[in-house]
Structure formats: structure tokens, C-alpha cells
Amino acid sequence: MDEFDLIEEFFTRPARHAEVVLGVGDDAALLTLAGAANTLAVTTDTLIEGVHFLPSAPGFDVGYKALAVNVSDLAAMGACPLAFLLSLTLPAVDRRWLAGFRDGLFALADAVGLDLIGGDTVRGPLAVTITALGTVAPGTALRRDGARPGDRVYVSGLLGEAALGFFLRAGRLSLPPEFQESVLARLDRPWPRIHEGQALIGIASAAIDISDGLVADLGHILKASGVGARLDLRRLPLSDAYDAAFPTLGYDPALVFGDDYELCFTVPPERVPALAGVASRLMCGLHYIGDIVAGAGLTLHDGQGAYTPARAGYNHFDDAGSL
Amino acid sequence: MDEFDLIEEFFTRPARHAEVVLGVGDDAALLTLAGAANTLAVTTDTLIEGVHFLPSAPGFDVGYKALAVNVSDLAAMGACPLAFLLSLTLPAVDRRWLAGFRDGLFALADAVGLDLIGGDTVRGPLAVTITALGTVAPGTALRRDGARPGDRVYVSGLLGEAALGFFLRAGRLSLPPEFQESVLARLDRPWPRIHEGQALIGIASAAIDISDGLVADLGHILKASGVGARLDLRRLPLSDAYDAAFPTLGYDPALVFGDDYELCFTVPPERVPALAGVASRLMCGLHYIGDIVAGAGLTLHDGQGAYTPARAGYNHFDDAGSL
């Protein structure tokens, strides 16, 4: 049983309140209160020591990343950040670590405009759960279920950078010195694509953030939309650092490792000119990597034939292995 | 450093968004979106195995209680339950335990009208974080900072029942058989005072839920309101089971143990008749236990003189001891 089956089997039920526009199963839930000018997007994510970060991770990085993964979910809905709640489980009070954690947390909160409005602190194994709230105009949020055959598939930024950072830190990869700082920064302090998500409103037909890997996350769009996709691996946006490691790594880390927090989204052909119009205003590139097709499932090709990655993506209750 | 100092030192900053009506430091935060007919109350609480519940606790009780402690925070604001998010950290997938957890969770969700709208499942030490959202008419939420000298202090229901259940299960207390089921039920499946909270809108000047014990939680009202209080211990609502154990326990479990999830609230003298009017419609008794006074601090008396409990309340980062 994987974590998505678990959620579907045990925790998916129809909502009864009219305020609930979208419940379990997207990057964030959507609530529209009576009379409100905006819809509320709400998401929650947990980071656990030893699972999501090393026991040696600096407090700054843990605070930053715990918020970043939630902001990334708001970004994938096209929402504007509003506020967040923090539940912090600590084995003991280490003031120096806590000061770093707070600084990392608030550095990102200030950069994206999120107010800390509540939380809980308890004693236990180190873990951070954040719930983030954002706003989006009613009916405009980017969802997973809007992709249609003929739409183009895009990703923002670069893929596989977090994988490079992880392998480098684990001593399983050597990289030229000039690339090392950049890939570790992408792993530890990903920049959520909040401006890109908002710019895609009215343009993208579906969107998701790449937290579990492109194959798994695009798979969620395909399943929710009832469509398939065909990607050309030669179009994957890979950095010079990745190119340097490509003979060792091949495509898989860019496809299945996850932790990149880029956006994967689909755009109907008639809106591609509009996409080109907004792309020039964004900080990261938007890359056309393939097309939505009728049917189901994802096919990958590299110009020489079909390609199958070794595994599908990060999954907390899949014992098949971990990278 | 206790958990409240920790929050104040590290995580309390003024909010910048106009939507934030009330931030860190009450039972729930309050957000009012532009145009919305209702204000949103948002709260989050975490339960950890080995801290908040025993490793042997049935899934049903863990699911029920994890939601109940959050609903109790909505109750303390007078809010109407709307929706919740669940972050569940599991060491492994135990389908039987999970089915029980789900049943306990949804039993309470259905009873109070909460939709599950999102969440996260990760692998790690067993822990549950829930974020609950409710609605309340703008400007009417029950807060901690409204108590004034001359107001009466009340509590709902019975105090110390969870303590009796805890001591009974730990083998540190014997109780007549006819009382055992009731006190264990109060510990494992507290009924949040959601109807009482809503009925107190327009009547109570301040309110809080008793999760950390009456002394600690009333202390939060006193600090936030800048007032003191004087309580008559002979007025504490204690059950027949508590009376049976009183020679062993004295007043302390009712004052400092916590986990009762009753409401403590204050009422201005001119609204006491209105309180009497609503009290007859509620399922639990509302008990006058003392008065708000000018100054600071809480004084307790039992008719024979001042009384001081052995410790102040449950606190996660206070190493002074645990009950």
C-alpha cells in the first residue's frame, strides 16, 4: 500500500459543507466563505528528522524548508500567501538551533508575505508540521484535473538539482567545485515558484508542484484529468552540473527523485502565446517537455526509443526502496 | 524555559496582513477575508505517542482525541466547525489500527460537522497533527483578553475527570467499579464544548479551554486581560467519582492536571441573567467558581485559608516534573 492508496482508502469522503470547493487530493484544499471576494487555499505538510532532513541539518535550513514545501503547494494552486500555523515537536530546547530555525522560517515568510498566526509546541522526536493559507480569485485556482489531450506539458526551472545535492552530500557523487554550492542550496533552500503559479492563472489548464518527482507528480495530473502524456527526455531542463554528472546518473534523478519544488503544468495550444508573454517576466525558465495525449499513462522517449525509469517516485509507504 | 516563553521569545511577531484579526496567543487565530460574512478561526494541535497517549492506545481513541483537542479550541472561540486537515506520521501501515483511527476521527467529525479537506501522511514516529477551521460572526469570537474586575469566573462540566482516568489506568488510584468506565471515557474521548462555546457568544467576556489545567489556563486569561482572580475551591464541580477519591487526591488534579477540555470563561455581572437563560439549553452544567479582581495573579481559597497547588499545570518544556 502506498501513501496515495492509504489516503484514498481511509481518508477520502465527500465534503458536506458548501464552502468546500475542493477537498482531499490536490496540492491544497479550496474553501470559499459566503460573501468572500477570494477563495482560501489551505495545505499542510510535515518534515521529520531522519526522513526529510538529516539530524545534522542546521536549524535555519529546517525552518526554511518546512515552510518552503508548504508555500510550494500554494504556488501550485496559483494562490497568494496569507498566513501559516506551525506545530513544532522538539526533543529539548536548544536555543541556538531554535534561533536558526526561526530565522530560516521567517526569512522565507517575509520573502513571500506570510504571517505566523498560531501553532503548537510539544516535546517529542524532532518534527515540523506547517499549515499554510493563501488566497486566490474564485474559480481560478490551478488544479490537477484540467489537462486535456493536445495540451503542452511544461516544467519551471531545472530538474534533478535536489537529487544532485543529496547524492553529493551522501558522498555518492563527485561534482566539480563550482557546482557544489548551487546544488546543495537547491536541496536545502528551494525557492517556491509562487510568482510563477500566480502568473499561470488563466493560462495553465492543470498544475502541480514536483515534490515527489516529475513522473509521480505528472502522474497525479494524468490520473485526476483522465489523460495520458508523452515526454521527450531530451527536452528536460538540466543544469550544467547535471550535464557533468549525466554519464553517471542518466535521466532518473531528474525524473523520480523529487524535492525540486518546481511546477509541472499543462497549457492548451491556444494559450501558448499568452504563456510566452508572461514567461519573460519570471525569474526562472518555463520548459516545454512534451504533450498530453488521449488515454492513460505516461510514456517517455529519448529519441532512440521508449524509456522506463528504475522507480516511479518518492513514496512514504512503498517499501520497494529508497534512493 | 517553558513552552509559552518559547513561543513568546521565538515566534511572536506582529502580523502584517489586514486579514489577520488575531494571531499567536489565543485558542485559535482569527482571519477575516475581504467581503466574507464570517471570520475564520484556525487552530492546530499535535498529539505524540508516548507523550499524549500510550503506545497501547486503540486507534479509535487516538483519532477521536486528536480531533477533539482541536475542536475544543474552536469551542473556546465560540466558532462553528467547518473543516480540518490531518497530518499523520506512522511507523508502518497497520490496517487494523488505521481503520480504528479513521473511525474515531470521523465519529467526532460527523458529530460536530467537520469536513476532512486535506493532509499529509509520512513515515516516522507515531504522531498526529490536526489543523481545524471554524467560522464565527465578525467581532464576536470569545478571546482571552476580555475579562474585567467584577466579572464572574465559570467552568463547564466537571474538573479532574481526565486526571482520575489517567491515575486509574496507571494503577495509582483505585475507584469503585461503577465510576471506572466514566472517567476513562472522559480521558480518552472528551466531548468538546462546541455548543456551549457558541451559546456564550455575547455573554462571556473571555474564554479558554482547559487543556493544561484550570490554574494554567485561567492564568492565560488573567495575563491576557491584565487582571487577577479569586476562586473558592469548594465551588469546583467535582463528580461523585472525584468525591470518592478526594481523600487521596485533594484539589490538585482538578486544578492542574488538564486534559479535561472543559471551558473556563468569565461573565460580566449584568450578563449573568442571560447566562442563566442559555444554561438550561446546554448538555453540561455551568459552574460559578470565583471572581475576577483588579491586579494580577490567581488566589485560591477553601474557606479555611489560601491554598497553593503543588504545581501550576502541564507544560511541555518545564522539567520540574510530570504528574
Side-chain angles (χ1 to χ4, degrees):
Chain A
M1 163 174 276
D2 76 16
E3 71 179 285
F4 307 107
D5 294 337
L6 186 158
I7 293 166
E8 193 160 311
E9 176 177 342
F10 287 96
F11 298 112
T12 304
R13 306 194 308 174
R16 292 165 306 171
H17 288 288
E19 289 91 340
V20 180
V21 177
L22 184 63
V24 173
D26 212 302
D27 291 282
L30 297 174
L31 290 174
T32 303
L33 300 187
N38 279 310
T39 290
L40 203 64
V42 194
T43 184
T44 193
D45 266 313
T46 296
L47 299 196
I48 311 264
E49 182 187 64
V51 179
H52 301 90
F53 58 89
L54 296 172
S56 60
F60 187 98
D61 291 348
V62 176
Y64 180 101
K65 190 161 179 179
L67 188 57
V69 303
N70 281 282
V71 174
S72 182
D73 284 321
L74 295 182
M77 306 300 288
C80 178
L82 174 60
F84 71 106
L85 297 94
L86 165 70
S87 175
L88 181 58
T89 304
L90 295 169
V93 175
D94 173 340
R95 300 177 69 93
R96 193 173 150 188
W97 189 93
L98 260 177
F101 176 88
R102 171 203 57 198
D103 290 346
L105 185 79
F106 285 145
L108 182 60
D110 289 344
V112 300
L114 273 172
D115 284 327
L116 175 61
I117 58 169
D120 192 19
T121 53
V122 299
R123 188 188 288 271
L126 183 57
V128 190
T129 299
I130 285 176
T131 301
L133 301 100
T135 54
V136 59
T140 71
L142 307 175
R143 301 166 51 145
R144 297 180 179 181
D145 57 3
R148 299 291 172 260
D151 288 0
R152 291 184 171 198
V153 180
Y154 291 82
V155 291
S156 66
L158 297 165
L159 296 179
E161 295 293 281
L164 294 183
F166 182 88
F167 293 141
L168 177 68
R169 180 168 289 146
R172 291 159 58 184
L173 178 73
S174 54
L175 275 181
E178 66 269 27
F179 295 139
Q180 297 187 3
E181 192 180 337
S182 146
V183 300
L184 291 172
R186 291 291 298 259
L187 175 64
D188 295 333
R189 295 182 297 281
W191 177 252
R193 299 302 185 188
I194 201 80
H195 302 296
E196 289 72 13
Q198 291 172 41
L200 291 173
I201 285 182
I203 295 175
S205 52
I208 193 168
D209 76 323
I210 305 176
S211 50
D212 296 328
L214 176 64
V215 168
D217 289 315
L218 176 55
H220 294 310
I221 286 183
L222 303 183
K223 188 177 175 196
S225 299
V227 295
R230 178 176 162 83
L231 302 187
D232 183 344
L233 299 184
R234 296 167 300 181
R235 291 182 170 275
L236 294 182
L238 305 178
S239 66
D240 293 343
Y242 199 114
D243 284 342
F246 189 86
T248 313
L249 298 178
Y251 288 116
D252 280 12
L255 292 171
V256 301
F257 184 85
D259 236 11
D260 278 327
Y261 303 99
E262 295 296 345
L263 298 182
C264 174
F265 57 97
T266 60
V267 178
E270 68 274 16
R271 296 193 208 147
V272 169
L275 181 68
V278 303
S280 60
R281 292 188 283 110
L282 299 175
M283 290 196 302
C284 69
L286 304 178
H287 307 278
Y288 168 45
I289 59 169
D291 300 278
I292 297 294
V293 297
L298 178 62
T299 59
L300 308 171
H301 70 93
D302 61 2
Q304 303 186 328
Y307 179 87
T308 304
R311 58 189 290 267
Y314 195 83
N315 188 307
H316 279 280
F317 297 102
D318 173 2
D319 287 318
S322 62
L323 282 163
Chain B
M1 163 175 276
D2 75 17
E3 71 179 285
F4 307 106
D5 294 337
L6 187 157
I7 293 165
E8 192 160 312
E9 176 177 343
F10 287 97
F11 298 112
T12 304
R13 306 194 309 172
R16 291 165 308 171
H17 287 290
E19 290 89 340
V20 180
V21 178
L22 183 63
V24 172
D26 212 302
D27 292 282
L30 298 174
L31 290 173
T32 303
L33 299 188
N38 280 311
T39 290
L40 202 64
V42 193
T43 183
T44 193
D45 266 313
T46 296
L47 299 196
I48 312 262
E49 182 187 66
V51 178
H52 300 90
F53 58 89
L54 296 172
S56 60
F60 187 98
D61 291 349
V62 176
Y64 180 101
K65 191 161 178 176
L67 188 57
V69 303
N70 280 282
V71 174
S72 182
D73 283 322
L74 295 183
M77 306 300 287
C80 178
L82 174 61
F84 71 106
L85 296 95
L86 166 70
S87 175
L88 181 57
T89 304
L90 295 168
V93 175
D94 173 341
R95 300 177 68 93
R96 194 171 151 191
W97 189 92
L98 260 177
F101 176 88
R102 173 203 56 199
D103 291 345
L105 186 79
F106 285 145
L108 182 61
D110 289 344
V112 300
L114 273 172
D115 284 327
L116 175 61
I117 58 169
D120 192 19
T121 54
V122 298
R123 188 188 287 273
L126 183 58
V128 190
T129 299
I130 285 177
T131 301
L133 301 99
T135 54
V136 58
T140 71
L142 307 174
R143 300 166 53 145
R144 297 180 179 181
D145 57 3
R148 298 291 172 261
D151 288 359
R152 291 185 171 199
V153 180
Y154 290 81
V155 291
S156 66
L158 298 164
L159 296 179
E161 296 293 281
L164 294 182
F166 182 87
F167 293 142
L168 177 68
R169 180 168 289 145
R172 291 157 59 183
L173 177 73
S174 54
L175 275 180
E178 66 269 28
F179 296 139
Q180 297 186 3
E181 194 179 335
S182 146
V183 299
L184 291 173
R186 292 290 298 259
L187 174 65
D188 295 333
R189 296 182 298 280
W191 177 251
R193 299 302 184 187
I194 201 80
H195 302 296
E196 288 73 13
Q198 291 172 40
L200 292 173
I201 285 182
I203 295 174
S205 52
I208 193 169
D209 76 322
I210 305 177
S211 50
D212 296 328
L214 175 64
V215 168
D217 288 315
L218 176 55
H220 295 310
I221 288 183
L222 302 184
K223 188 177 175 196
S225 301
V227 295
R230 178 176 162 83
L231 302 187
D232 182 344
L233 299 184
R234 295 168 300 180
R235 291 182 170 276
L236 293 183
L238 305 178
S239 66
D240 292 344
Y242 200 114
D243 285 343
F246 191 86
T248 312
L249 299 178
Y251 288 115
D252 280 11
L255 291 171
V256 301
F257 184 85
D259 237 10
D260 278 326
Y261 303 100
E262 297 295 346
L263 299 182
C264 174
F265 57 97
T266 59
V267 178
E270 67 274 16
R271 297 192 206 147
V272 168
L275 181 68
V278 302
S280 60
R281 293 187 281 110
L282 299 174
M283 291 196 302
C284 69
L286 304 178
H287 308 278
Y288 168 45
I289 59 169
D291 300 279
I292 297 295
V293 297
L298 177 62
T299 58
L300 308 171
H301 70 94
D302 61 2
Q304 304 186 326
Y307 179 87
T308 304
R311 59 188 289 269
Y314 194 82
N315 188 308
H316 279 280
F317 297 101
D318 172 2
D319 287 318
S322 62
L323 281 163

